[in-house]
Amino acid sequence: MKPRKRIFVVGGDLTPFIGKMHPDFIWKKHPDFGKKENPGLEDYLTRSIRGALDKTGVDAADIDRGFVGNFAGQLFSHQGHLGAMAVRADEGFEGKPFMRVEGACASGGLAVLSGVDALQAGSDVILAAGAEVQTTVSAREGAGYLARAAHWEEERDIDEFTFPAMFARRAKHYKEAFDVSDEDIAHVTVKAFENGNKNPNAHMREVSWDLESASKPGKKNPAFLGNEELKPHLKVSDCSQVSDGGAAVILATEAGLKRLGIAAEDCIELLAYGQATGALGRVDDYTELSTTRQAAEQTYADSDLAPTDVDVVEVHDCFAVTECLMVEALGFADAGEGANLAKQGATGLDGSIPVNTGGGLLAFGHPVGATGVKQVLEIFRQMKGQCGDYQLENIPQVGMTANMGGDDRTAVCMAFQNLG
Ligand code: CAA
């Protein structure tokens, strides 16, 4: 879709993403264990929203509508009704239309697109936030919660770690179809953690993987699935993180910018977007992300862009193999060549198509509902030179995002142009 009127991202903010292995995350080996608690869902939502207002200088009273992306607040935090929860962040929101949006791990992308719809329907300034807390239970129990993003009756039993197993199945098919090795795919992990180590907001900012350890199972890198057929195809280093965090962005029309007194040159513009949904539990071909490809093709067609025009991209690397499949679905590599792109360094900070510059879901972290919002914010921050140690040398002019829910069942892609 091409927006019916010009739509601008004004800016936003995010909290650090944290969880196990992050120095501030309180767990049994932390010196403050038993003395301090980790922040909760409301903390992340409020901090990211307040941060977005502060960083953009936008008054809460100027927000016409609000959208909150979250997948499983009821399960992890006993908390639903997050539209009304977000209104607690500022008195100026009282009475305004806010709502929650859910589409599994694409909830954040859908929150942004719901805001885009609202702008096309007559609103002039919107807030899109996303937040998730997942560390209230063990990774194993949390995997059962996340399995609600699959078809529960038909797919839950693939493994107690349902999503890791579903993507191990993709890795198996991908490796066999294209003669790709675990070491080839491990280049994605190594690159993600190198980027994450430069990012103060990254969950894994102090953890790194070298190619050798990320290429095979070991004591530090267990193949942890119970499904014997799929177990050899997934290790801890292939997985995104169980993270807590929040992100929020503010979008406006031209009339909205005028009202806010913000110049278009300080913004980035949404050129086009695509949203596609595949039937739950029905994947025809494990070696490609066909729903994401549909969303990407709509985005390219409606923006008149080609993959070669894109300077920076944020893709949904929920597992290392997913990044390979994502860069293929977005047209940056041919089928089976996605791993090679990372191996050749093309997706690194100084490569021809930098992918997930802040570490992606693998190293930046994956607080599910926040991820799609964070992707948009990361493109904004790269385009405005705000990325510190992982800032690209050439300020990007065109950027894309690809956020995915479930096993490629909900896909949201957006293309942005830098202004100014
Ligand atoms: N040797 C053997 N086995 C070991 C081990 C070792 N040294 N260390 C751990 N394990 C095994 C154990 O079986 C352990 O389970 P239990 O403790 O319950 O017995 C299991 O591995 C997990 O270990 P931990 O709980 O210690 O691991 P962790 O907390 O470090 O988590 C992880 C690691 C399981 C990989 C976790 O990070 C994870 O689940 N990541 C994926 C998160 C995920 O799936 N997110 C959703 C992505 S899908 C998406 O984005 C789309 C959507 O819509 C859902």
Side-chain angles (χ1 to χ4, degrees):
M1 295 277 286
K2 198 176 180 63
R4 284 160 183 264
K5 41 175 106 162
R6 296 185 74 186
I7 290 178
F8 304 89
V9 180
V10 173
D13 198 21
L14 82 172
T15 69
F17 290 0
I18 74 168
K20 217 164 138 184
M21 313 289 276
H22 186 286
D24 297 340
F25 181 71
I26 306 205
W27 63 306
K28 58 181 185 285
K29 292 190 183 159
H30 193 281
D32 287 336
F33 184 69
K35 295 182 218 153
K36 268 190 180 170
E37 301 269 318
N38 287 307
L41 186 56
E42 184 175 8
D43 294 302
Y44 287 111
L45 193 56
T46 305
R47 273 160 61 201
S48 57
I49 292 174
R50 290 226 53 85
L53 295 173
D54 290 348
K55 287 230 160 104
T56 56
V58 171
D59 198 285
D62 275 318
I63 301 288
D64 296 328
R65 297 194 64 183
F67 300 89
V68 179
N70 172 265
F71 172 51
Q74 281 96 329
L75 295 169
F76 286 108
S77 308
H78 308 285
Q79 187 62 61
H81 206 174
L82 296 179
M85 179 65 85
V87 168
R88 281 165 60 99
D90 194 292
E91 280 179 6
F93 291 145
E94 187 63 37
K96 289 178 185 288
F98 271 53
M99 63 191 270
R100 170 179 170 183
V101 183
E102 190 270 308
C105 296
S107 299
L110 292 180
V112 177
L113 283 196
S114 301
V116 167
D117 283 347
L119 294 172
Q120 297 185 83
S123 298
D124 282 315
V125 185
I126 68 92
L127 171 86
E132 203 86 40
V133 161
Q134 303 177 93
T135 59
T136 49
V137 297
S138 70
R140 189 179 289 275
E141 198 177 336
Y145 293 171
L146 293 171
R148 269 86 167 170
H151 190 295
W152 181 268
E153 279 183 20
E154 294 176 9
E155 297 180 308
R156 166 59 175 149
D157 291 339
I158 186 173
D159 196 277
E160 267 194 277
F161 287 95
T162 302
F163 270 93
M166 289 168 89
F167 282 87
R169 177 169 62 191
R170 282 192 179 271
K172 175 180 186 300
H173 284 260
Y174 184 73
K175 288 187 292 183
E176 288 170 1
F178 301 111
D179 197 19
V180 169
S181 70
D182 286 327
E183 187 180 304
D184 294 334
I185 296 174
H187 285 276
V188 170
T189 298
V190 172
K191 181 267 297 175
F193 280 74
E194 275 172 11
N195 291 356
N197 291 168
K198 297 186 167 74
N199 177 3
N201 289 316
H203 180 159
M204 288 294 179
R205 69 181 202 208
E206 291 186 8
V207 177
S208 61
W209 282 103
D210 61 52
L211 187 63
E212 202 191 336
S213 342
S215 298
K216 53 181 190 308
K219 202 161 172 276
K220 189 187 149 210
N221 195 13
F224 60 93
L225 294 179
N227 180 319
E228 287 301 326
E229 187 198 348
L230 298 175
K231 189 182 166 106
H233 301 289
L234 192 95
K235 314 167 293 303
V236 163
S237 62
D238 295 309
C239 299
S240 60
Q241 306 310 318
V242 173
S243 315
D244 302 340
V249 290
I250 292 171
L251 274 64
T253 60
E254 277 182 301
L257 290 189
K258 215 172 193 181
R259 189 208 296 169
L260 299 173
I262 291 174
E265 303 84 80
D266 294 331
C267 303
I268 67 173
E269 182 168 1
L270 176 69
L271 294 178
Y273 57 96
Q275 182 193 339
T277 319
L280 205 57
R282 299 212 188 111
V283 174
D284 294 333
D285 182 349
Y286 296 120
T287 66
E288 66 157 346
L289 301 177
S290 53
T291 312
T292 299
R293 182 182 295 280
Q294 258 179 285
E297 281 173 358
Q298 282 173 31
T299 309
Y300 285 126
D302 292 336
S303 59
D304 290 325
L305 291 170
T308 45
D309 296 320
V310 180
D311 301 320
V312 63
V313 62
E314 284 283 312
V315 303
H316 195 97
D317 56 331
C318 51
F319 297 91
V321 71
T322 327
E323 178 167 314
C324 306
L325 295 167
M326 275 270 157
V327 295
E328 294 171 20
L330 267 60
F332 301 120
D334 291 335
E337 291 297 321
N340 255 340
L341 216 57
K343 192 172 173 178
Q344 290 158 357
T347 54
L349 295 183
D350 53 1
S352 54
I353 178 65
V355 175
N356 295 347
T357 60
L361 283 60
L362 290 168
F364 199 149
H366 183 23
V368 172
T371 288
V373 180
K374 177 217 74 175
Q375 290 183 328
V376 173
L377 184 58
E378 284 296 281
I379 297 294
F380 176 90
R381 295 177 73 238
Q382 276 294 351
M383 287 183 169
K384 298 302 171 195
Q386 297 174 0
C387 285
D389 288 348
Y390 66 96
Q391 179 62 49
L392 297 174
E393 210 173 292
N394 294 323
I395 295 286
Q397 297 306 309
V398 175
M400 270 185 84
T401 59
N403 184 204
M404 183 179 86
D407 190 0
D408 189 41
R409 301 297 80 202
T410 293
V412 175
C413 288
M414 294 179 231
F416 298 95
Q417 166 85 55
N418 196 3
L419 302 173

